[in-house]
Amino acid sequence: MLLHPDRLFPAEPGTRAIARALYTSVAQLPIISPHGHTDPAWFAINQPFTNPTELLIKPDHYVFRMLYSQGIGLQQLGIRNPDADPEQVWQLFARHFYLFRGTPSSLWLNYVFEKVFDIDQPLNAQTAAHYYKVINDKLAQPAFLPRALFERFNIEVLTTTESPLDDLRHHQAINDSGWHGRVLTAYRPDDVLDPDQPDFTNNLARLAELTGEDTSSWHGYLNALRNRRAYFKSMGATSTDHGHATANTADLSRAECETLFAGALAGTLNTSEADLFRAQMLTEMAGMSVEDGLVMQLHPGCHRNHNGPLFERFGRDKGADIPVRTEYVKALHPLLNKYGNDPRLSLIVFTLDETNYSRELAPLAGHYPALKLGPAWWFHDSPEGMRRYREQVTETAGFYNTVGFNDDTRAFLSIPARHDLARRMDCAVLAQWVADHRLTEQDAFELAHDLSYTLAKNAYKL
Amino acid sequence: MLLHPDRLFPAEPGTRAIARALYTSVAQLPIISPHGHTDPAWFAINQPFTNPTELLIKPDHYVFRMLYSQGIGLQQLGIRNPDADPEQVWQLFARHFYLFRGTPSSLWLNYVFEKVFDIDQPLNAQTAAHYYKVINDKLAQPAFLPRALFERFNIEVLTTTESPLDDLRHHQAINDSGWHGRVLTAYRPDDVLDPDQPDFTNNLARLAELTGEDTSSWHGYLNALRNRRAYFKSMGATSTDHGHATANTADLSRAECETLFAGALAGTLNTSEADLFRAQMLTEMAGMSVEDGLVMQLHPGCHRNHNGPLFERFGRDKGADIPVRTEYVKALHPLLNKYGNDPRLSLIVFTLDETNYSRELAPLAGHYPALKLGPAWWFHDSPEGMRRYREQVTETAGFYNTVGFNDDTRAFLSIPARHDLARRMDCAVLAQWVADHRLTEQDAFELAHDLSYTLAKNAYKL
Amino acid sequence: MLLHPDRLFPAEPGTRAIARALYTSVAQLPIISPHGHTDPAWFAINQPFTNPTELLIKPDHYVFRMLYSQGIGLQQLGIRNPDADPEQVWQLFARHFYLFRGTPSSLWLNYVFEKVFDIDQPLNAQTAAHYYKVINDKLAQPAFLPRALFERFNIEVLTTTESPLDDLRHHQAINDSGWHGRVLTAYRPDDVLDPDQPDFTNNLARLAELTGEDTSSWHGYLNALRNRRAYFKSMGATSTDHGHATANTADLSRAECETLFAGALAGTLNTSEADLFRAQMLTEMAGMSVEDGLVMQLHPGCHRNHNGPLFERFGRDKGADIPVRTEYVKALHPLLNKYGNDPRLSLIVFTLDETNYSRELAPLAGHYPALKLGPAWWFHDSPEGMRRYREQVTETAGFYNTVGFNDDTRAFLSIPARHDLARRMDCAVLAQWVADHRLTEQDAFELAHDLSYTLAKNAYKL
């Protein structure tokens, strides 16, 4: 057995009993996955996954960054290396699985091994071949096709993330297929908002084609963005997402906007002007959310592609994105002063800088009607990360200015594992607060249900 | 029953027993409240409180900021809205009381409901009318007059906070009344130290009137401040308090001071000059504390009135003050190099930026004889906030460079609730360290007494 | 009895039993002390320690900073005061020993009292004289000579820290003596890398003498540094150590380096140029580590000698070094982009700014092959500090990107106490994760051994 039924529950028997009761009440609730990075093609095409390595190692940057940190080259893991034998990669992974002790990856992976593939021996060099065979065989069965797994995972709704330049053909195909699985898109316009993206001008040209708007004018550019929002919304989107280096926002005059936009098009903005343009665009996006009701998500504070040589050779998303210190109070001031009191806006903010939980974000979310806090994100999507989040956020923002759980993953099979972990940790924290009489048991049962299901569904208008 | 007798104690039975024993030994100690914002007029005039809404909702920014964050307008809560029916406001509050789950407000309010008003049903929409009636009826009784409550709360000393421009008539009236309750003032000179205050020059004119000093000269200005300190001290004050945006201090030459002061009077200082003036004034205040022995408190690091539109309409103290990142090591360097080794100075520093507990403040307080750490403040005046404070401060600064508890409140009825919570949390932390044999039980009993009573009394010279 | 056998273990009985079992399995392992500040002369000369005050108070800045913070002058403690009577200093210390409640110093000292000197009464004013006599008498016995204690402490290897200008005569004497105790040096070149050191140019002249290199040229300077590294390595050194104000690194052209070096020699660098020079030198040191295999340690982020008047009178290392906010992601970027993927480099980074654990350092160490995290350092070398370290680092970096424990002390007698505390806390944390089924018991036993012994031995190539 890889998974103990009481895993992540407090050790003290009375508290554990409360946690178990709370968890039992929410364990079977459907999964609301309002933010993530799975590939909609999987559900549109519904072909078998290739093999264990392609499915479980190569899309999971948590996995290969740890292996890389211990001296295993990405090419050895088959990344940008078509000659790598997937079974040998799996062996290599298995031999080093001990590196994941104490990490959420080990908890997620063991869940996948036991609950999805029905394996009950620990993964190591000795069991690697058995694992590979069992998983490989199962992937060929109909019960392991993407749609079948989606249903088995009891996913009520799964949101993917696409650029405004995406034609959403896979979402269209899913809609057309008659399959009842609900796979929505979210509008992620970074590549048409960020003048530092290498393809920025090409992207704007493509945006013009898609919308018939003149994206060489500020006015036309905004209309084109609005147009694609409407298209995404017509395809089921309920949210936008914004991955910026900082949380900076701005509220400039139209003339200033036009000047900056001209510079962005001409490629003449310096670093601080480009930052100001992105800052202004967040406020523009908030304004459009007031109009069209799309929930706005902001994911700032990451130094992307920190490892230059690795980026040159292997490209982005290779585990070299590193969080940086992030400021929210001054940064969000322009946007919040413009729209923060407007009940039509819902802005969900995330952080990789946990110092902001108690200092900036909980106080902001505990005041502004438009602002809510996203869950513990990325490196902090972990048992201790979740505990710190609840302990540092709740006393100032309460539970109801938070939005439930996001799995934020491209590792499809880990989705139930991640939601299960989140539900367990929420119940563990609630149980401790029941045990020391900060909460009544009745309140805790309601809260467990809200944190596992209702808050996400409501916050994302699903 | 709203309050469990073991609330906030660790769940593990052995540890809980230790916590209970420690708490029992301090539960009945008198309250030392050395820093707060209650209205001295209450005790001077001793009239009944108006109604539950006026008493419990409108002075409590913790309460209305949470309600506001969930879309309830301040006008609906009766703020700047004389037409609001207080009982309807109470109903609105009661319907949304679930928002406070997991917050210290729910713990404080339930304490007030049960211990002060003898109500034992949970507050919700169904019980709201009953609550209103019970509380309203009691407020009309002599036992619920301010002085009677002061005595019932077993308050040994209560300190309010006044501007040097205040004539302290209410404190005078209390002294003259023959009532034995000890209500002291503290000297809070922000409005005559901060050139960015809109009324700065008027305030200096008023200061001149009160003192007979020429506040248009640097020399006369300092004398006037000194004069009012002496007056406050003669009225019983033992401390000053300073609410600055940063912890910056300076140690300038007299010529530089005179130039800055002239600019402050003329209203010509730019942002950094105004900050430098305030920085210098903190060092001046420290120098005067060396002379007159008033304990100096510094409360920095808050972005005040972050919500511009709300401030325009409803004014200050409406729940829109947000903590910001704060630096102490460089900031306090000038003041500490001048007076930090002087045993006549006692400077108590607070923070809203918890990252400073282990990094800057505990190391500073564990070295400088003049420096002590104030308790977990404002948003961190909460069970988890207090636990973080003890866990992050104690190992470097010990217990004896801290100063006990401050309630810092304008919500008079919450004072016993807040002190009770602080005593429980201190005993909970001590109990854990006894249980794992970091402290002896005998030491823990002494510490519980010191943290609940002695440290505050000594640190504030009460 | 001063020490409970279950100290620092979790209170919950089941978890405590696991912690006890884990600890029992590692309690007797030899001590690997790969970084510290003991005096090699003790082991070269092997003379008795003078008296309890010289041995236990005067070298321990944790002790006298706390006493100083409570108004006890350093001269009263015998520092720079040859007239002070050591027994009276001991009395003073004993009377104030209660100040250390809740600090690691009290745990370390009680360990020394009981385990090294076999005293079982608490230290206080009444027992002070007894303590002084017992310790003083024992220090005169052969069993309390430095080498005898080294052996009794079961130290497998002890590393001291020397300047490249040191001739390592004491290490030579130890080697020549035939004593089997392994006392190594580490190469700490701050005084020849930092142009802001008052003796910088003299130090370079001395470096030239020692190496025969022309240290007035950039080329000769680098060669001289390389030459001394080789000498240190020949004497057994396996590591270098760098104490910089920031973690800044640079990767400049040769021409830029030569210009900066000329300015450093001429004493004409401004603050930011001096910082850039130091930044470049860290990258140079990393390059030399790639060549010679010396493990590189970086200890940044401290404001040294914060208390000016105290520094004037008593000099450095008097408890007035204060941590400051520190940045790593941008700071280490140049070095890591040059050498971070090179398996020949091993860079161990420490922090006094705990906010970096989860935000910057664990993500960096969980990616770069060359980077590892040093243990909780200095003010954070404490039970709660270690707990925060494990809870904030492990989920992202795992255990195997950390390097075991450093005692980092000049208080020789505290070495076993500190390692014992670290082993207990690691076992306590592991036990909690076993109890809530995040780790298997088998994995935890392996980890306890690795954290107590193997990781340090491997990371430092000992």
Side-chain angles (χ1 to χ4, degrees), chain B residues 36-76:
Chain B
H37 300 274
T38 52
D39 186 344
W42 296 334
F43 310 105
I45 300 169
N46 202 34
Q47 289 298 303
F49 293 107
T50 320
N51 63 52
T53 295
E54 288 292 326
L55 179 63
L56 297 173
I57 299 176
K58 285 169 77 173
D60 192 337
H61 51 76
Y62 290 86
V63 166
F64 56 72
R65 77 191 311 277
M66 177 65 87
L67 297 171
Y68 185 71
S69 77
Q70 288 282 315
I72 298 169
L74 295 186
Q75 73 290 349
Q76 290 179 268

Side-chain angles (χ1 to χ4, degrees), chain A residues 76-393:
Chain A
Q76 291 178 266
L77 295 169
I79 293 169
R80 300 235 172 158
N81 177 11
D83 298 336
D85 172 48
E87 187 160 359
Q88 287 189 359
V89 173
W90 184 264
Q91 273 283 353
L92 189 64
F93 167 57
R95 280 207 306 280
H96 291 88
F97 192 58
Y98 73 94
L99 296 173
F100 296 92
R101 289 171 180 165
T103 72
S105 292
S106 73
L107 299 169
W108 297 328
L109 285 161
N110 279 329
Y111 185 103
V112 171
F113 298 154
E114 179 166 321
K115 298 281 188 184
V116 182
F117 295 109
D118 212 16
I119 302 175
D120 64 0
Q121 309 167 50
L123 178 62
N124 54 40
Q126 285 69 49
T127 59
H130 172 68
Y131 261 78
Y132 196 85
K133 180 168 182 351
V134 168
I135 298 174
N136 216 28
D137 289 353
K138 294 210 167 168
L139 292 181
Q141 300 172 14
F144 290 82
L145 289 175
R147 290 183 182 179
L149 288 172
F150 185 104
E151 290 163 12
R152 174 173 162 200
F153 291 167
N154 195 18
I155 298 175
E156 181 173 318
V157 58
L158 177 69
T159 302
T160 66
T161 305
E162 275 77 34
S163 161
L165 304 179
D166 194 294
D167 59 12
L168 306 183
R169 73 180 67 181
H170 299 303
H171 293 83
Q172 188 64 56
I174 295 167
N175 291 346
D176 294 346
S177 72
W179 179 54
H180 62 76
R182 200 167 163 214
V183 179
L184 305 182
T185 184
Y187 181 86
R188 171 102 171 204
D190 299 355
D191 56 2
V192 293
L193 297 190
D194 177 5
D196 288 338
Q197 296 261 356
D199 292 327
F200 182 68
T201 49
N202 289 339
N203 292 344
L204 261 57
R206 173 82 184 118
L207 187 64
E209 282 170 35
L210 282 167
T211 61
E213 295 287 345
D214 171 15
T215 61
S216 69
S217 80
W218 172 244
H219 180 72
Y221 171 62
L222 295 183
N223 272 347
L225 294 170
R226 203 175 264 121
N227 176 307
R228 292 305 286 170
R229 291 173 66 105
Y231 177 63
F232 272 58
K233 194 174 165 183
S234 75
M235 292 291 291
T238 68
S239 62
T240 73
D241 182 35
H242 306 273
H244 283 212
T246 72
N248 288 349
T249 65
D251 185 17
L252 304 174
S253 70
R254 177 162 178 157
E256 290 170 301
C257 292
E258 288 175 342
T259 303
L260 277 176
F261 180 65
L265 272 182
T268 59
L269 299 185
N270 63 26
T271 304
S272 69
E273 289 167 336
D275 187 58
L276 187 59
F277 182 77
R278 288 186 292 266
Q280 177 64 29
M281 291 314 298
L282 284 182
T283 309
E284 298 293 341
M285 288 294 107
M288 292 186 197
S289 278
V290 167
E291 294 170 10
D292 64 21
L294 292 181
V295 172
M296 181 174 177
Q297 299 172 91
L298 177 59
H299 284 90
C302 200
H303 183 128
R304 299 275 172 184
N305 309 311
H306 189 270
N307 190 335
L310 195 88
F311 178 67
E312 294 293 316
R313 180 157 171 205
F314 294 100
R316 55 181 293 175
D317 295 328
K318 291 301 169 291
D321 297 342
I322 310 291
V324 291
R325 204 151 61 209
T326 306
E327 202 279 338
Y328 291 88
V329 178
K330 289 190 188 73
L332 293 176
H333 191 255
L335 187 156
L336 290 174
N337 268 255
K338 189 156 192 179
Y339 297 118
N341 298 295
D342 193 320
R344 292 170 297 175
L345 177 65
S346 185
L347 170 60
I348 302 173
V349 175
F350 297 78
T351 194
L352 293 174
D353 179 352
E354 295 179 303
T355 68
N356 292 301
Y357 286 157
S358 72
R359 185 182 56 213
E360 305 182 22
L361 290 175
L364 284 167
H367 168 68
Y368 280 102
L371 192 69
K372 295 210 166 21
L373 292 194
W377 176 36
W378 197 340
F379 297 102
H380 313 314
D381 177 7
S382 64
E384 296 300 330
M386 290 175 187
R387 179 186 305 283
R388 286 194 291 274
Y389 176 87
R390 289 289 171 215
E391 289 179 353
Q392 295 176 26
V393 162

Side-chain angles (χ1 to χ4, degrees), chain C residues 90-109:
Chain C
W90 184 264
Q91 274 282 350
L92 190 63
F93 166 57
R95 281 207 306 279
H96 292 87
F97 192 58
Y98 73 94
L99 296 173
F100 296 93
R101 288 171 180 164
T103 71
S105 292
S106 73
L107 299 169
W108 297 328
L109 286 161

Side-chain angles (χ1 to χ4, degrees), chain C residues 53-209:
Chain C
T53 295
E54 287 294 325
L55 179 63
L56 297 172
I57 299 176
K58 285 168 79 173
D60 192 337
H61 51 75
Y62 291 87
V63 166
F64 56 70
R65 78 191 310 276
M66 176 66 87
L67 298 171
Y68 186 72
S69 78
Q70 288 282 313
I72 298 170
L74 296 188
Q75 72 290 349
Q76 292 178 267
L77 294 170
I79 293 170
R80 302 238 169 153
N81 177 11
D83 299 337
D85 173 49
E87 186 159 358
Q88 287 190 1
V89 173
W90 184 264
Q91 274 282 350
L92 190 63
F93 166 57
R95 281 207 306 279
H96 292 87
F97 192 58
Y98 73 94
L99 296 173
F100 296 93
R101 288 171 180 164
T103 71
S105 292
S106 73
L107 299 169
W108 297 328
L109 286 161
N110 279 329
Y111 185 102
V112 171
F113 300 153
E114 180 166 320
K115 298 282 187 182
V116 182
F117 296 109
D118 211 18
I119 303 175
D120 64 358
Q121 309 167 49
L123 177 63
N124 55 40
Q126 285 68 51
T127 60
H130 172 69
Y131 261 79
Y132 195 85
K133 181 167 181 354
V134 169
I135 297 175
N136 216 28
D137 289 352
K138 295 210 167 168
L139 292 182
Q141 301 172 12
F144 290 81
L145 290 174
R147 291 184 182 179
L149 288 172
F150 186 103
E151 290 163 11
R152 175 174 162 199
F153 293 167
N154 195 18
I155 297 175
E156 181 172 317
V157 59
L158 176 70
T159 302
T160 66
T161 305
E162 274 76 35
S163 161
L165 304 179
D166 194 293
D167 60 12
L168 306 183
R169 73 180 68 179
H170 298 305
H171 293 83
Q172 187 65 57
I174 295 168
N175 291 345
D176 294 345
S177 72
W179 178 54
H180 64 73
R182 199 166 164 215
V183 180
L184 307 182
T185 183
Y187 181 86
R188 170 100 171 207
D190 299 355
D191 55 3
V192 292
L193 297 191
D194 177 5
D196 288 339
Q197 296 261 355
D199 292 327
F200 181 68
T201 49
N202 290 338
N203 292 344
L204 262 55
R206 174 80 184 119
L207 187 64
E209 281 170 38

